[in-house]
Amino acid sequence: MTKNGILRIATFNRTALICAAAAMALAGCNLTAEQKAAAAAKRAAPTAVVMPATKGEAVEGGLAKSPDGYPNFGAPLTAANVQMSDEQAAELQHQLTALAARRKAGTISEAEYQAKVAEMRRLAAEHGTDTLSEISK
């Protein structure tokens, strides 16, 4: 084989390797819809979590001020609205357990059960907007 032939083969191999590397790099940039949604969720701003005050009084704006007038971020934040109490959560759990037991025992028809479930889902979907409209009045 001549020197010219070896150079052609080397150039071809080098070009093939560069094209293969570029193809792999570009293929790695493609994401599925689920991966795009997960990446968007990671980039989204976090939702605010407001904790109830454990001691002291609520302050205007939710931030306590130090004696020099600057905000003190060490004080607990106050809740914007009253949260569900443990008793209310236990009562709701009791109602749902009783509904499931009635369904399993056959004392409630499937249609009644589905109507009750639909009512609870509607309440869950509309409760937030109803409460916000009540607060903004």
Side-chain angles (χ1 to χ4, degrees):
M1 204 171 216
T2 66
K3 185 176 180 181
N4 201 14
I6 292 174
L7 288 176
R8 282 185 177 175
I9 292 172
T11 304
F12 175 78
N13 286 341
R14 190 177 315 125
T15 306
L17 285 174
I18 291 171
C19 289
M24 283 192 273
L26 290 175
C29 294
N30 293 334
L31 297 176
T32 64
E34 293 84 18
Q35 291 171 331
K36 287 180 183 176
K42 286 182 184 177
R43 287 191 306 267
T47 56
V49 177
V50 179
M51 302 298 292
T54 54
K55 54 188 170 189
E57 296 181 15
V59 294
E60 183 181 336
L63 289 176
K65 295 203 180 215
S66 60
D68 57 0
Y70 290 101
N72 181 2
F73 295 102
L77 299 175
T78 57
N81 198 357
V82 178
Q83 304 297 312
M84 178 187 282
S85 69
D86 290 338
E87 293 82 22
Q88 290 171 323
E91 176 61 29
L92 184 58
Q93 183 178 6
H94 176 70
Q95 289 175 1
L96 294 174
T97 305
L99 180 63
R102 287 174 53 199
R103 180 184 186 201
K104 188 174 181 181
T107 58
I108 187 173
S109 70
E110 186 65 24
E112 289 175 306
Y113 175 79
Q114 292 300 332
K116 194 75 165 167
V117 168
E119 177 185 342
M120 288 182 186
R121 287 187 177 148
R122 181 191 53 77
L123 177 65
E126 296 175 358
H127 177 70
T129 54
D130 292 345
T131 304
L132 281 177
S133 66
E134 244 180 70
I135 291 171
S136 64
K137 289 182 182 177

